[in-house]
Amino acid sequence: MDNLENNENMNENIDETNENINEETIDEAYEKEIEAEKLVEFDGESEGMELSKVEQEYGADEIQVLEGLEAVRKRPGMYIGSTGPRGLHHLVYEIVDNSIDEALAGYCTKIDVVIEKGDIIRVTDNGRGIPVGVNSKTGLPAVTVVFTVLHAGGKFGGGGYKVSGGLHGVGASVVNALSEWLEVKVCDGEDVYFQRYERGKIVTDLQKIGKSDVKGTEVRFKADPEIFKETTVYDYSVLERRLREQAFLNAGVHIELRDERDLENIIQNNFVYEGGIKSFVEYIHKKRSLEVIHPDVIYFASRNADDTIAVEIALQYNESYNENLLTFANNIHTTDGGTHEEGFKRALTYVMNDYARKFGKLKDNDKNLSGEDVREGLTAIVSVKLKEAQFEGQTKAKLGNTEVRAMVDRLMRDKLSVYLEENPAVAKVIFEKALASSRAREAARKARENARRKSPLDSAQLPGKLADCQSKDSSETEIFIVEGDSAGGSAKGGRDRRIQAILPLWGKMLNVEKARIDRVYGNDKLMPVITALGTGIGDEFDIAKLRYDKVIIMADADVDGSHIRTLLLTFFFRYMRPLVEQGHVYIAQPPLYKATKNKVDYYFYNDADKEKFCLENPRCDIQRYKGLGEMNAHQLWDTTMNPDTRILRQVNIENAAEADRIFSMLMGDEVPPRREFIEKNAHYANIDA
């Protein structure tokens, strides 16, 4: 803070941090807000990151009603995002989150999640148990209110919870509404209570069914196939990732996941991490086999003077070129970031540049390091827990509390500055990596400018091998990125010239997972793709400039074709991610076989259909297509390019963090995790002898 006003060079270059933070967050008022923030030291590990234990009684009247439930079944997507696999697993998360909230309140230490036969979910915790007394506003037992009334819960300002992820009071009732049936058992330390619901409606009154000296809640439910028409089968690995994440975020809480669908082969995992988010960072590096450049995870924790906000930060740098910043608010993964992410990014950039100026790492005439530079190779977890969390929408993807930004910023400036001064060796390797990134970024800028100078226009001329379409309406156009000149020739001859463009690629493509952005510019395989799409890459990417609505990768159905698809997808994910996130990237599916009978051609896209045809037509001639170039223009149009008959697979990102991990593993330098992945998933592949 002492150098802030005098460091004009730093402030002049603030725009180069590319954080997309509103200017009001960096003005004088913001600096005063940071300065005024009072932090209280605490040990995040031993104290488990929860705020002080709730002392007020958690009784029936703590369940406050806001209001209704049939709307959930009519528009489930509004509450759980989708009725596909993502929404199905979200049901489990909602119930588990209620148990996690009990842990945050200081009462729950053990959570069991079981997938029973028939894909029935059972979640049990040893918290206080949902209140069973009669709620005065509704005249119903409080547990009944929780599961049958929308916007009802103990988290609207009553004393039942100080911190919680569930703030809208819809979680339990939504799960109930979207379940074929749901059963709840509550143990209050004396009696056991039971109630059953079907499709959100009460089937049995709340009744005592036994005695118990323990406390806790058990919820069993079966997702309704009328709602989840695509599937009601749970993916163990998806639940495993989510529950492991929750265990990292709540140090010391024991979460057990068990798959009992096959009683002869029960799968089980136990998650408990005393190291909390420090262990999370270590796990990420170990899982991805990333080499760290300094031995210890840097860790800070604090809470505000009012004991309403607690912040935990863990970070460590590795040798990769990619950043992995995960932010959480009340244990909820804020995938769209928010104020805690803004505070972290800004403070990190400030501290690194302030340190570099203070110790002569950057000269007076040197430009500041950008946000991208200081975050290259960074793995960081930012976890905040607060009493009055403000999320944007029910999905809770973005945190909006402005006071959190100042608190995170203050913590980073105070603690990271001291850490770097006390650990000069660590500071040196981090700074050298950031400086190398800055040099690569400058080299990329020069390469980009050189490419532009080749054309009298602002952007480079379209690639010579591009056969562009006639239409200039990007909403209807599509570009096929084709493997090889031979296939490119067939594609050009068979296409719809009005809306379909063809860009042939050849030779070995750059693996961008192992390269900085400066190597992308000027690459003879990638530059044609960049110029054809028109969006730019990296921090210059602008989706509004996209020239084609559909970007279709069309490669041979063999190992080389799979390799090219993977390299292109890696490039899009790392440097044009919005292209994927907004659903513009597709993979064409050419046929594997052509069968001819009585001079009529039949095409098959999988072995099963081909085998069935051959059994019914034993004298037919079968041709296995090894490459797109084996098809003439007419055949390629009929099978792969005709919008009325083709099969396109849209590429999407269900889980950005998991996608990042997969790309790092498959395309990175480390062989062991890639070998493990191949061995585990080889049975899914169809490989021709």
Side-chain angles (χ1 to χ4, degrees):
M1 284 297 293
D2 296 334
N3 298 326
L4 183 62
E5 294 181 0
N6 298 324
N7 198 344
E8 296 180 358
N9 185 34
M10 184 178 300
N11 288 328
E12 289 173 357
N13 288 281
I14 235 35
D15 291 337
E16 296 185 17
T17 61
N18 297 312
E19 307 306 349
N20 296 319
I21 301 173
N22 193 294
E23 288 183 2
E24 67 182 12
T25 67
I26 60 175
D27 62 15
E28 186 177 348
Y30 177 61
E31 297 297 338
K32 289 180 179 179
E33 186 181 349
I34 297 170
E35 185 67 35
E37 193 62 51
K38 305 297 182 186
L39 305 181
V40 179
E41 297 289 334
F42 80 105
D43 181 354
E45 292 181 46
S46 63
E47 298 188 31
M49 242 312 265
E50 75 265 3
L51 304 180
S52 57
K53 193 169 184 177
V54 175
E55 299 297 341
Q56 184 171 332
E57 184 179 349
Y58 181 41
D61 286 334
E62 296 301 325
I63 304 299
Q64 301 179 27
V65 180
L66 298 180
E67 62 194 86
L69 186 58
E70 196 58 35
V72 180
R73 292 186 61 83
K74 290 182 179 179
R75 295 180 176 86
M78 290 179 60
Y79 298 90
I80 60 170
S82 79
T83 55
R86 185 176 180 181
L88 177 72
H89 292 82
H90 191 84
L91 299 183
V92 185
Y93 307 156
E94 289 285 3
I95 301 301
V96 171
D97 285 350
N98 288 338
S99 298
I100 292 292
D101 289 342
E102 278 290 285
L104 288 174
Y107 291 95
C108 175
T109 59
K110 181 72 162 58
I111 303 169
D112 291 331
V113 182
V114 180
I115 313 172
E116 299 180 1
K117 192 172 182 178
D119 284 281
I120 295 165
I121 295 294
R122 182 175 81 244
V123 180
T124 310
D125 67 55
N126 65 348
R128 291 168 290 182
I130 302 173
V132 295
V134 175
N135 177 265
S136 60
K137 292 185 180 179
T138 63
L140 296 170
V143 63
T144 306
V145 174
V146 168
F147 282 96
T148 60
V149 180
L150 202 61
H151 302 304
K155 304 156 188 175
F156 293 115
Y161 292 91
K162 186 173 241 184
V163 171
S164 83
L167 299 176
H168 299 157
V170 303
S173 58
V174 164
V175 175
N176 190 19
L178 302 180
S179 295
E180 183 179 339
W181 57 263
L182 182 145
E183 296 173 347
V184 57
K185 287 182 185 177
V186 177
C187 304
D188 63 1
E190 294 181 3
D191 300 300
V192 181
Y193 295 84
F194 173 85
Q195 192 166 29
R196 179 180 170 92
Y197 316 88
E198 292 180 2
R199 294 187 168 94
K201 300 189 182 298
I202 300 170
V203 174
T204 64
D205 292 332
L206 184 67
Q207 53 192 283
K208 291 182 184 180
I209 61 171
K211 293 284 187 179
S212 176
D213 59 356
V214 301
K215 291 185 177 182
T217 304
E218 176 187 287
V219 179
R220 291 179 74 240
F221 67 90
K222 180 170 177 56
D224 191 350
E226 292 181 6
I227 301 293
F228 300 95
K229 296 178 180 178
E230 183 177 342
T231 184
T232 56
V233 178
Y234 293 95
D235 186 331
Y236 183 89
S237 63
V238 172
L239 295 178
E240 180 186 6
R241 285 194 297 272
R242 170 75 177 211
L243 297 181
R244 179 183 287 109
E245 182 180 275
Q246 292 298 310
F248 281 127
L249 295 169
N250 298 276
V253 176
H254 184 184
I255 302 177
E256 182 176 301
L257 173 63
R258 244 177 8 267
D259 188 345
E260 297 180 352
R261 287 175 290 190
D262 182 356
L263 293 176
E264 294 184 358
N265 297 285
I266 294 176
I267 305 171
Q268 181 174 319
N269 283 96
N270 290 281
F271 309 114
V272 58
Y273 302 100
E274 298 298 336
I277 64 169
K278 288 198 296 184
S279 299
F280 200 170
V281 171
E282 292 169 349
Y283 173 82
I284 291 172
H285 285 151
K286 182 179 179 182
K287 189 71 175 176
R288 301 186 183 186
S289 294
L290 296 172
E291 287 293 325
V292 299
I293 63 174
H294 56 95
D296 299 322
V297 177
I298 304 170
Y299 174 85
F300 313 120
S302 68
R303 56 165 57 103
N304 65 352
D306 297 333
D307 195 25
T308 56
I309 304 175
V311 177
E312 212 181 359
I313 298 171
L315 59 107
Q316 191 175 27
Y317 284 85
N318 58 72
E319 291 184 346
S320 77
Y321 304 132
N322 306 307
E323 71 171 275
N324 187 21
L325 172 59
L326 303 177
T327 60
F328 301 86
N330 290 359
N331 294 321
I332 294 167
H333 187 191
T334 43
T335 52
D336 294 338
T339 52
H340 51 342
E341 182 174 312
E342 292 171 6
F344 174 84
K345 286 182 173 180
R346 172 167 165 75
L348 179 64
T349 306
Y350 173 84
V351 170
M352 289 292 293
N353 281 294
D354 186 53
Y355 176 86
R357 299 284 179 193
K358 188 175 181 180
F359 291 94
K361 304 291 185 181
L362 288 176
K363 307 303 180 184
D364 291 342
N365 295 327
D366 292 339
K367 289 185 177 181
N368 277 338
L369 299 171
S370 72
E372 284 187 332
D373 295 334
V374 302
R375 296 195 306 274
E376 181 182 281
L378 172 68
T379 297
I381 312 292
V382 180
S383 176
V384 300
K385 292 172 181 175
L386 59 165
K387 185 176 182 179
E388 298 291 342
Q390 299 170 12
F391 295 100
E392 295 186 4
Q394 170 58 20
T395 56
K396 305 168 188 168
K398 189 173 185 179
L399 185 67
N401 298 70
T402 55
E403 68 275 18
V404 172
R405 179 170 53 228
M407 186 171 172
V408 173
D409 197 320
R410 177 78 272 165
L411 175 62
M412 283 288 291
R413 292 194 190 194
D414 287 353
K415 298 299 182 182
L416 186 58
S417 298
V418 173
Y419 180 89
L420 294 176
E421 291 186 22
E422 293 179 347
N423 297 270
V426 175
K428 181 182 178 185
V429 294
I430 294 174
F431 179 79
E432 286 178 349
K433 184 172 182 62
L435 189 60
S437 173
S438 178
R439 290 167 177 163
R441 186 168 53 83
E442 180 63 18
R445 184 189 64 79
K446 291 179 179 178
R448 186 167 62 243
E449 289 180 352
N450 288 334
R452 287 171 174 168
R453 290 192 190 103
K454 294 177 181 179
S455 169
L457 305 175
D458 184 47
S459 61
Q461 295 176 343
L462 293 175
K465 286 186 174 287
L466 172 69
D468 207 1
C469 55
Q470 297 167 349
S471 175
K472 303 302 179 185
D473 182 0
S474 60
S475 66
E476 66 174 359
T477 58
E478 49 192 43
I479 183 170
F480 288 84
I481 302 175
V482 186
E483 176 191 0
D485 286 337
S486 176
S490 296
K492 290 176 184 178
R495 65 177 175 141
D496 180 345
R497 294 174 179 269
R498 191 180 71 82
I499 61 170
Q500 293 180 329
I502 309 296
L503 179 63
L505 297 180
W506 67 100
K508 187 178 180 182
M509 190 173 298
L510 177 69
N511 179 6
V512 299
E513 191 70 24
K514 301 179 181 179
R516 286 191 173 99
I517 192 170
D518 57 312
R519 291 188 58 196
V520 174
Y521 285 106
N523 182 273
D524 61 351
K525 307 298 185 300
L526 293 176
M527 282 304 297
V529 178
I530 297 169
T531 21
L533 299 186
T535 59
I537 61 173
D539 59 354
E540 282 199 334
F541 182 88
D542 184 358
I543 195 72
K545 296 180 179 179
L546 180 63
R547 300 181 66 244
Y548 310 96
D549 182 64
K550 290 183 174 66
V551 180
I552 305 169
I553 303 171
M554 189 163 67
D556 293 344
D558 58 11
V559 173
D560 288 340
S562 296
H563 190 206
I564 288 173
R565 281 193 294 272
T566 304
L567 288 168
L568 275 170
L569 289 174
T570 304
F571 170 63
F572 290 146
F573 182 78
R574 291 302 183 198
Y575 291 103
M576 296 182 169
R577 187 179 297 191
L579 200 69
V580 183
E581 293 173 334
Q582 297 184 29
H584 292 287
V585 179
Y586 296 80
I587 294 174
Q589 189 168 341
L592 295 176
Y593 303 96
K594 181 183 76 170
T596 305
K597 185 176 180 180
N598 298 328
K599 298 183 179 181
V600 178
D601 294 335
Y602 303 87
Y603 299 96
F604 304 99
Y605 297 83
N606 56 65
D607 288 325
D609 289 346
K610 184 262 296 184
E611 294 297 335
K612 181 181 178 183
F613 183 86
C614 289
L615 286 172
E616 297 172 352
N617 304 274
R619 295 188 177 182
C620 64
D621 294 324
I622 298 292
Q623 178 185 351
R624 171 64 164 97
Y625 285 122
K626 292 293 185 181
L628 297 170
E630 295 183 15
M631 285 184 272
N632 59 39
H634 177 73
Q635 291 171 328
L636 193 57
W637 166 257
D638 283 345
T639 63
T640 315
M641 299 179 69
N642 185 347
D644 296 329
T645 58
R646 70 190 181 188
I647 299 174
L648 288 184
R649 291 179 290 169
Q650 188 178 44
V651 180
N652 54 59
I653 304 175
E654 284 287 331
N655 185 325
E658 179 63 9
D660 188 274
R661 184 188 72 82
I662 292 292
F663 276 114
S664 295
M665 175 186 60
L666 294 181
M667 308 305 290
D669 289 319
E670 297 298 321
V671 175
R674 184 157 56 245
R675 181 188 297 116
E676 181 184 345
F677 177 88
I678 293 171
E679 290 173 349
K680 184 178 179 181
N681 295 277
H683 61 283
Y684 295 120
N686 294 315
I687 301 175
D688 292 320

